[in-house]
Amino acid sequence: MFKLVRLEWKKNNIGKYVWYAFITSVLLLLMVLMVAGEMESKETIQSYGKSMLIPCVDMFTNLAYILFTSVMIAGFCVSPYQNRTINLIFSYPVSRRKLVLAQIASVWIFNFIALVLSKICFYGTLAAASPYIHIAAENLPLKSGEFYADILAGSAAMVSIGFLALPVGLWMKSSKAAIITGVLIVCFTQGNIGSYTLMYNLPFYCVLICLSAAAIISVICTVESRDVA
């Protein structure tokens, strides 16, 4: 299976996505550094009852990589149907289900690793820069194993939720539809209306993850009968 994943990365020029992810993360890090002081100001702590530094990092990185996941879904999974190259892919001496699973896995693995590394890099940079940007480094529990477990679990959840864009893109055979769905997912999971937000709403995330898992299973199970014309 990993050979098929590597083939998908090579076929879709994964180096391009690595570069895009790096540029995106650098720009987001600069934005976080600019607002970090505000996230720990007295006014912010009085309003929310705690420092908002970690939620700020989560919001920026999750937002970026849900969108990035939808963009890669559009390129890896939807474009072959849209461009009519899927017949060539399905002519390989490998089952269609394995090929589709490899496409999905190649997107999930890349974005999971990129999101985890981005968050760790963000928190490490904030801790190193804390004396200069007026934040308390002790609010970043970098020595806690639970902290890193939360990063891993949260990253896996956000990337998985991003796969809700997959069935929409395949149903419409449109890369744009997949990306627009990613934007809508971001609005629902990372946005807020006044003081109300679904961010960190565990039951809501669990429902979305279940829907995403059901969508992925459905896509894989129906690939043999899906119209590729």
Side-chain angles (χ1 to χ4, degrees):
M1 175 56 68
F2 190 66
K3 287 183 178 180
L4 290 175
V5 171
R6 290 176 61 188
L7 179 62
E8 286 296 324
W9 284 341
K10 183 177 181 180
K11 181 180 68 179
N12 289 280
N13 189 13
I14 196 63
K16 173 181 67 177
Y17 291 98
V18 171
W19 179 244
Y20 291 160
F22 174 75
I23 295 296
T24 300
S25 294
V26 169
L27 292 176
L28 287 175
L29 177 57
L30 292 175
M31 292 175 63
V32 170
L33 288 171
M34 287 189 289
V35 302
E38 292 296 324
M39 295 299 101
E40 289 204 328
S41 66
K42 291 182 179 179
E43 292 80 5
T44 300
I45 294 175
Q46 288 174 355
S47 298
Y48 295 96
K50 62 178 182 179
S51 166
M52 294 300 292
L53 187 58
I54 290 178
C56 175
V57 171
D58 281 347
M59 183 187 71
F60 277 115
T61 52
N62 291 341
L63 181 155
Y65 280 97
I66 288 175
L67 287 175
F68 212 87
T69 298
S70 68
V71 170
M72 289 188 69
I73 286 171
F76 281 57
C77 306
V78 179
S79 286
Y81 286 91
Q82 185 176 341
N83 300 332
R84 303 290 194 272
T85 59
I86 193 67
N87 287 316
L88 175 61
I89 295 173
F90 283 163
S91 68
Y92 297 164
V94 181
S95 74
R96 289 186 176 188
R97 289 182 179 180
K98 281 189 177 181
L99 289 170
V100 171
L101 182 58
Q103 290 176 337
I104 293 170
S106 63
V107 175
W108 195 94
I109 293 170
F110 177 88
N111 282 281
F112 172 71
I113 293 174
L115 181 51
V116 169
L117 291 178
S118 293
K119 287 186 176 184
I120 292 174
C121 178
F122 277 38
Y123 292 127
T125 303
L126 287 169
S130 58
Y132 310 103
I133 55 178
H134 310 294
I135 64 172
E138 58 268 19
N139 288 332
L140 300 171
L142 298 181
K143 296 182 180 180
S144 168
E146 184 179 351
F147 178 67
Y148 293 101
D150 286 342
I151 290 177
L152 292 173
S155 298
M158 289 301 106
V159 173
S160 298
I161 288 171
F163 272 85
L164 287 170
L166 177 61
V168 178
L170 290 177
W171 175 56
M172 300 185 69
K173 293 183 180 178
S174 169
S175 297
K176 290 181 181 179
I179 295 171
I180 291 171
T181 303
V183 173
L184 293 176
I185 294 169
V186 165
C187 292
F188 279 110
T189 59
Q190 307 300 313
N192 64 282
I193 301 174
S195 59
Y196 182 75
T197 180
L198 290 170
M199 190 175 177
Y200 295 127
N201 188 315
L202 186 58
F204 177 63
Y205 284 173
C206 287
V207 170
L208 292 183
I209 291 170
C210 290
L211 289 175
S212 181
I216 291 171
I217 292 171
S218 175
V219 166
I220 295 172
C221 290
T222 60
V223 65
E224 299 290 350
S225 59
R226 188 176 303 122
D227 179 21
V228 297

